[in-house]
Amino acid sequence: MIAKERTCRSTLAALACLVFTTGFWACKEKPPEPGTVKDEALAAGRTSESFPGADEDYFADMDYGVSKKPDEVIRRIAEAVGVSPDDLDDDKEAYLKSFVVGRNNWNVWSGGNDRFWDYMANNTFGAMDLLKTLSSHPKVSYEYGGKEYEASRDRRWYWYGLVNEPCFSKWRPAADCDPAKDKWACGNPDRWGLWLDVRDPDCPPDPFENADKYAGVKTGSRGKQLAGKDHPVGSYYGDATGILGLRLFTNPAFDEAAAKHWNPYRYYYDPDYYNDKKLVRPYRVGMSCGFCHIGPNPANPPADPENPKYENLNSNPGAQYFWIDRIFFWNQDASNFSWQLFHTSPPGALDTSFVSTDNINNPRTMNAVYSIAPRLSDAARWGQEKLAGGSLDNAQFNDYPRTAPLSEFFDPPDTVYVPRVLKDGADSVGTLGALNRVYLNIGLFSEEWLLHFKPLIGGKPITPIPIKTARKNSTYWNANEEQTPDVAIFFVASAEPDYLINAPGGAAYLTEDEATLTRGKEVFAERCARCHSSKVPEPTPLMDARGDCMGGGYLDCWNRYWEWTKTDEFKARMKEIVLAPDFLEDNFLSTELRVPVTLLETNACSPLATNAIAGDIWDNFSSQSYKELPSVGKYTVHHPTTGEPREYDMPGGGRGYTRPASLISLWSTAPYLLNNSVGEFKWEGSVEARMASFDDSIKKMLWPETRVKDPVLGDKVPGYFYRTTDTSYLTVPAGFLPDFLQPLVGPLHRWLPWLFGDGGVRIGPIPKGTPVNLIANLNPLSEDRSLKARLEHGKKLLKLLHKVKHDLKQAEGKSDEEAREIFADLVDPLVELSKCPDYSVNRGHYFGTDRFREEPGLKDEDKYALIGFLKTL
């Protein structure tokens, strides 16, 4: 048994822990050493074989009902593996089963991450609680136009952008129920008084809840009687919740004492109760990949987005309507800087490294998954990567009989041909490795993952999570690794484009003028296809991205390719390809090559992300070729107060590049850019709403002068900044402070009002209009790990923290204008220590416009012709 040592940790939440030192410390047991812990399933004696993938085709109506057409499924799989459908006759049933298992994995399997999301509920200082997000309780509400509305099932799509699960209804208590008097606060007594959706009795049972077939992990209090109520083990898929992608599990830590303490009325009404870090909830919430990807079918949208049918849903679009600040900050409070940080994520964008933080606020769109077969074909030509170290441990198609026909994508021992999925092209170890990494990032094997960094707040060196450790100590990892080939097969056979021509009323938006359409194709060939077509003239200086073009030689090859695309020869040959009738067939509409940010001129925070560089958390999931990429050089950023431009030296080792997005179904995916920052968001999901957003967004892309400008700096900077919408504070509710501090909050509020509010720690004020990333991107650690550099960085950081404490203390009680004047003195020191000093959000991608330096802008009539063609993609 590991010796119980004592260590100290700052009491402040998230950024408060880094930016504002209080001098108070909480003591707790030192965590175990990485590599020494087992996950819950292994600790309970479970093997991966005891977690077979579910084979019920429950979601048959989804994804255009493709699984109802088995011959079509087989045809698509055969196309992907380069054989005739007849060649798969002997394995037809196995492939059809694999398709179903893969979709079920994507949509309902959470791999034990309910443990992780329960951890988040008790370690986000009152912000995140998925049991509240699931609830249709009057206290889970929002304000709009001076009125308060329940954030319930009736408004879940509008408010959260979450997909209501068919076959469920909102929990409705008896009309005469009084929550203050009813023992269970008028909630469902079968759910410990929680206001969770209930399954409609006319619907068939959810097959994934079958605890006999899919027996859950018996640990802790699961399987016991608590306070006279059953606390079942349940299924390892959990119970359906009424929101697709979230599953409900009994909490093994909810023991007899927790049951006696449980009070559903106080859970919804009393902040002193629900803001207690020791609160044990009766359930944990698990999250599947589908939570961030299931969405309305663009070509067959629901008549009522709050009440979709399965036939109206697809598994692959990416959560385009997903409001992070509302989902992960259930109690909206603009005075809390943590809310301001979450609020920087536009709908459909999420900083996927916000837990294993790289100290860069970097919300990015969640990728739609389209046309896997042609994408794999392109990978065979352009996607060569070399593996080394821990990345060699990634599973490959060759390892599984059902994906062995795809063995061409791995040449043992160290060469892989990959489609690149992440925006920065970092997940470059193979399709299966890219999939497996996703499950870790949403909490699978959190027992180990959370030991490699300080969750949410950072501040200590990050170490890689090794694949070997996961295989040794996590049953959930091994079970998941066995099923990701099924997920790959599912997407190969299902992720087809959504064409506007097939959508109800879609034809009315398409041009019937053949001359205009032809000109649009020509413009596309001249300006867009070099990045947004997987069909290009052969041979090219780079497209056989192998040998000297990998790793350190990549930038030279890219530059040669880019210069070639500006020649008359390239443009003439590209026109022939685009004007051919089969241009869109098997075209992924992206090269997936890594484009230097110095050419794109988009916000640099995404290509500056560090999670996949050597020695960081995802080290095992990025290739050696990625880690050896050279620096793209100097990049122009702008001062957050004056707007003055300056040159920033982009680091190498993987950073500095962005993968071009696919333009498949472009009409349905607005707003645009990698962070959804260009264009108007429309929440309905209908064809009309999508086209209104497309029209606004594509015009702002091609006429960048019409994009939203920064409200403070205007034309001095190329785009707007994320700014605080109100005066805000870094706050920690009293219940999350160390035990010894909690009874002292009241007296300390009288003596230190600038630090202690009535309900806990409150540091500020941070003036309204402050660039959020000025604070969020503060780098607590030196990039240079030498002792001298670390000491120098630490010296600067301590000096800054002391100044921040002093200055914000002076700003307390001052007017907004006075507070801004005081805060202005902190700006330059914060910029100096920024990990990403680029604050302009909606900048860049000026191709075809007058702002692009290398080529003249298109005429307006050519831009409109191009738009006409883009609608057909």
Side-chain angles (χ1 to χ4, degrees):
M1 183 175 181
I2 297 173
K4 294 184 177 180
E5 301 177 13
R6 307 293 283 180
T7 187
C8 288
R9 174 180 173 184
S10 169
T11 65
L12 297 185
L15 296 170
C17 189
L18 297 176
V19 184
F20 305 96
T21 303
T22 66
F24 294 107
W25 299 86
C27 289
K28 60 185 294 185
E29 291 182 3
K30 182 179 179 180
E33 290 297 317
T36 64
V37 295
K38 299 177 181 179
D39 72 4
E40 279 186 347
L42 185 60
R46 295 290 292 270
T47 64
S48 60
E49 291 77 15
S50 69
F51 292 102
D55 55 6
E56 295 90 349
D57 197 9
Y58 182 71
F59 300 110
D61 289 336
M62 288 178 64
D63 307 303
Y64 294 103
V66 66
S67 63
K68 296 179 178 179
K69 299 171 278 188
D71 289 343
E72 177 66 10
V73 172
I74 295 300
R75 184 193 68 77
R76 294 180 184 180
I77 294 173
E79 179 183 319
V81 300
V83 300
S84 164
D86 294 339
D87 293 334
L88 300 183
D89 278 350
D90 291 344
D91 299 313
K92 181 176 179 178
E93 292 305 316
Y95 276 114
L96 292 173
K97 178 180 178 180
S98 186
F99 175 98
V100 171
V101 169
R103 177 160 56 187
N104 291 340
N105 176 289
W106 188 257
N107 288 348
V108 296
W109 165 258
S110 57
N113 69 25
D114 50 296
R115 174 190 181 273
F116 167 72
W117 292 104
D118 185 64
Y119 167 90
M120 293 292 284
N122 283 327
N123 287 273
T124 52
F125 309 96
M128 187 184 302
D129 188 342
L130 290 178
L131 273 178
K132 290 276 179 64
T133 303
L134 287 170
S135 296
S136 290
H137 191 279
K139 291 298 288 184
V140 183
S141 61
Y142 65 94
E143 187 177 306
Y144 182 76
K147 295 182 180 180
E148 190 166 303
Y149 298 90
E150 293 178 18
S152 65
R153 184 179 179 89
D154 296 337
R155 298 182 180 89
R156 189 172 283 155
W157 174 255
Y158 166 76
W159 180 244
Y160 292 120
L162 295 178
V163 180
N164 274 326
E165 186 169 0
C167 279
F168 278 81
S169 301
K170 175 182 176 180
W171 169 257
R172 299 185 186 278
D176 59 350
C177 182
D178 182 350
K181 296 179 181 178
D182 180 73
K183 178 181 180 182
W184 298 112
C186 298
N188 187 343
D190 293 332
R191 292 296 192 194
W192 293 92
L194 292 165
W195 290 49
L196 305 181
D197 292 356
V198 291
R199 191 168 187 84
D200 296 336
D202 295 336
C203 287
D206 180 321
F208 313 110
E209 295 179 3
N210 185 343
D212 293 326
K213 184 175 181 179
Y214 305 119
V217 175
K218 192 176 189 306
T219 183
S221 61
R222 287 178 179 165
K224 297 182 179 180
Q225 280 263 321
L226 302 174
K229 298 170 67 67
D230 287 333
H231 198 60
V233 176
S235 159
Y236 56 76
Y237 286 109
D239 290 351
T241 62
I243 294 178
L244 283 169
L246 295 181
R247 308 287 294 186
L248 199 69
F249 298 80
T250 52
N251 188 347
F254 191 74
D255 56 15
E256 193 67 42
K260 289 179 180 177
H261 180 65
W262 177 248
N263 186 316
Y265 177 84
R266 295 186 68 194
Y267 176 68
Y268 288 117
Y269 287 92
D270 185 356
D272 289 338
Y273 182 82
Y274 60 67
N275 280 335
D276 181 359
K277 65 180 183 292
K278 297 179 180 177
L279 179 64
V280 181
R281 297 158 182 78
Y283 297 103
R284 305 194 311 203
V285 180
M287 181 183 295
S288 74
C289 290
F291 182 66
C292 291
H293 286 272
I294 295 172
N297 183 331
N300 185 28
D304 175 6
E306 302 290 1
N307 293 287
K309 299 176 181 177
Y310 280 118
E311 66 197 53
N312 303 127
L313 301 174
N314 283 358
S315 304
N316 67 304
Q320 299 166 256
Y321 300 89
F322 199 92
W323 292 81
I324 293 301
D325 59 329
R326 300 174 181 180
I327 296 167
F328 288 160
F329 208 106
W330 75 271
N331 189 13
Q332 300 286 292
D333 180 5
S335 69
N336 188 326
F337 183 80
S338 296
W339 180 86
Q340 295 287 347
L341 180 60
F342 278 108
H343 190 60
T344 62
S345 294
L350 167 67
D351 184 352
T352 55
S353 62
F354 81 102
V355 179
S356 55
T357 180
D358 58 1
N359 296 110
I360 298 176
N361 181 37
N362 176 29
R364 296 179 283 189
T365 57
M366 285 165 272
N367 291 314
V369 184
Y370 282 119
S371 299
I372 302 302
R375 199 171 188 182
L376 288 171
S377 178
D378 299 338
R381 287 188 294 157
W382 309 333
Q384 186 183 35
E385 304 270 357
K386 285 290 185 181
L387 307 181
S391 67
L392 290 165
D393 295 324
N394 281 280
Q396 303 293 345
F397 288 131
N398 316 45
D399 300 330
Y400 303 92
R402 58 194 181 282
T403 53
L406 295 170
S407 60
E408 65 181 292
F409 295 101
F410 181 64
D411 287 339
D414 63 355
T415 305
V416 66
Y417 303 89
V418 300
R420 303 176 181 103
V421 179
L422 293 181
K423 298 285 190 294
D424 55 3
D427 51 347
S428 46
V429 293
T431 300
L432 300 184
L435 283 169
N436 288 321
R437 185 202 63 82
V438 171
Y439 292 87
L440 285 173
N441 198 41
I442 59 173
L444 184 149
F445 198 18
S446 60
E447 294 89 343
E448 173 74 22
W449 185 48
L450 295 173
L451 299 177
H452 291 269
F453 52 87
K454 186 175 287 187
L456 303 171
I457 59 179
K460 79 169 188 178
I462 295 178
T463 55
I465 180 169
I467 293 171
K468 285 184 177 179
T469 298
R471 286 188 179 138
K472 175 184 175 184
N473 292 333
S474 174
T475 295
Y476 281 123
W477 167 271
N478 290 320
N480 189 74
E481 197 171 42
E482 283 294 321
Q483 291 181 38
T484 45
D486 302 309
V487 177
I489 288 171
F490 160 60
F491 278 119
V492 160
S494 68
E496 294 292 290
D498 303 304
Y499 290 116
L500 179 58
I501 188 66
N502 298 329
Y509 296 99
L510 297 170
T511 181
E512 296 181 359
D513 184 341
E514 284 299 320
T516 298
L517 191 59
T518 297
R519 181 56 189 151
K521 292 179 180 180
E522 292 174 341
V523 173
F524 184 86
E526 293 175 350
R527 301 299 183 96
C528 308
R530 53 194 172 188
C531 286
H532 291 294
S533 172
S534 53
K535 294 181 179 181
V536 296
E538 299 282 1
T540 76
L542 176 66
M543 287 310 181
D544 288 323
R546 305 169 183 229
D548 293 340
C549 286
M550 289 191 298
Y554 178 81
L555 190 58
D556 289 339
C557 291
W558 165 266
N559 288 337
R560 291 198 300 272
Y561 168 70
W562 183 252
E563 289 304 312
W564 184 56
T565 68
K566 292 187 283 186
T567 65
D568 291 340
E569 177 197 6
F570 176 88
K571 292 177 181 180
R573 294 174 63 188
M574 195 70 241
K575 281 183 186 179
E576 293 178 5
I577 294 172
V578 176
L579 291 172
D582 64 349
F583 172 67
L584 293 181
E585 292 179 17
D586 295 331
N587 195 331
F588 184 61
L589 295 177
S590 171
T591 61
E592 297 216 309
L593 296 168
R594 298 177 174 113
V595 182
V597 71
T598 45
L599 179 66
L600 283 170
E601 297 187 68
T602 48
N603 182 267
C605 290
S606 174
L608 279 171
T610 57
N611 279 177
I613 65 174
D616 216 288
I617 185 67
W618 301 131
D619 171 279
N620 280 202
F621 298 90
S622 65
S623 68
Q624 189 65 22
S625 306
Y626 167 82
K627 296 181 178 81
E628 293 175 355
L629 287 170
S631 167
V632 297
K634 295 184 180 296
Y635 189 59
T636 302
V637 297
H638 298 80
H639 191 276
T641 300
T642 67
E644 180 182 357
R646 70 181 182 90
E647 295 300 302
Y648 176 72
D649 290 316
M650 293 290 291
R655 289 170 284 182
Y657 301 85
T658 297
R659 174 189 62 82
S662 169
L663 299 189
I664 291 177
S665 307
L666 182 69
W667 70 274
S668 70
T669 58
Y672 297 132
L673 283 191
L674 73 173
N675 50 18
N676 281 355
S677 62
V678 174
E680 183 181 6
F681 170 73
K682 297 283 188 179
W683 68 272
E684 295 88 348
S686 64
V687 175
E688 294 81 2
R690 289 179 190 267
M691 287 308 299
S693 183
F694 168 85
D695 187 61
D696 182 73
S697 303
I698 200 65
K699 288 176 180 176
K700 286 174 178 170
M701 289 294 294
L702 292 172
W703 286 271
E705 64 274 12
T706 66
R707 297 182 192 178
V708 175
K709 294 179 172 60
D710 188 73
V712 176
L713 295 173
D715 289 329
K716 292 181 180 179
V717 295
Y720 70 86
F721 296 178
Y722 295 132
R723 294 184 180 273
T724 56
T725 62
D726 208 338
T727 300
S728 57
Y729 297 80
L730 292 153
T731 61
V732 184
F736 289 97
L737 293 174
D739 295 343
F740 77 92
L741 268 183
Q742 292 183 25
L744 301 176
V745 168
L748 288 170
H749 171 58
R750 291 194 294 272
W751 290 100
L752 298 171
W754 62 273
L755 178 58
F756 287 90
D758 292 327
V761 170
R762 190 183 73 158
I763 300 175
I766 299 167
K768 179 181 178 180
T770 299
V772 173
N773 288 355
L774 186 63
I775 297 172
N777 293 353
L778 178 68
N779 190 1
L781 299 170
S782 170
E783 292 280 306
D784 185 340
R785 301 310 296 156
S786 68
L787 178 60
K788 180 180 179 181
R790 291 166 60 189
L791 290 174
E792 183 62 28
H793 187 91
K795 181 180 178 181
K796 291 179 180 179
L797 186 64
L798 287 173
K799 183 178 179 180
L800 171 61
L801 297 180
H802 183 270
K803 182 173 179 56
V804 166
K805 274 182 59 177
H806 175 271
D807 287 8
L808 290 190
K809 178 181 178 181
Q810 305 307 312
E812 182 66 36
K814 299 290 196 301
S815 67
D816 281 345
E817 188 59 38
E818 290 172 319
R820 275 191 287 270
E821 290 180 6
I822 293 171
F823 193 86
D825 198 34
L826 298 171
V827 171
D828 285 339
L830 284 167
V831 170
E832 182 183 4
L833 292 176
S834 178
K835 199 170 181 183
C836 177
D838 185 9
Y839 308 103
S840 297
V841 175
N842 59 336
R843 64 181 296 190
H845 198 285
Y846 298 132
F847 308 106
T849 77
D850 293 334
R851 292 192 180 183
F852 186 53
R853 297 185 295 268
E854 298 186 13
E855 295 171 327
L858 296 168
K859 297 177 181 179
D860 284 357
E861 55 265 35
D862 285 342
K863 291 181 181 180
Y864 282 114
L866 175 61
I867 291 171
F869 174 61
L870 293 176
K871 292 178 185 179
T872 69
L873 303 182

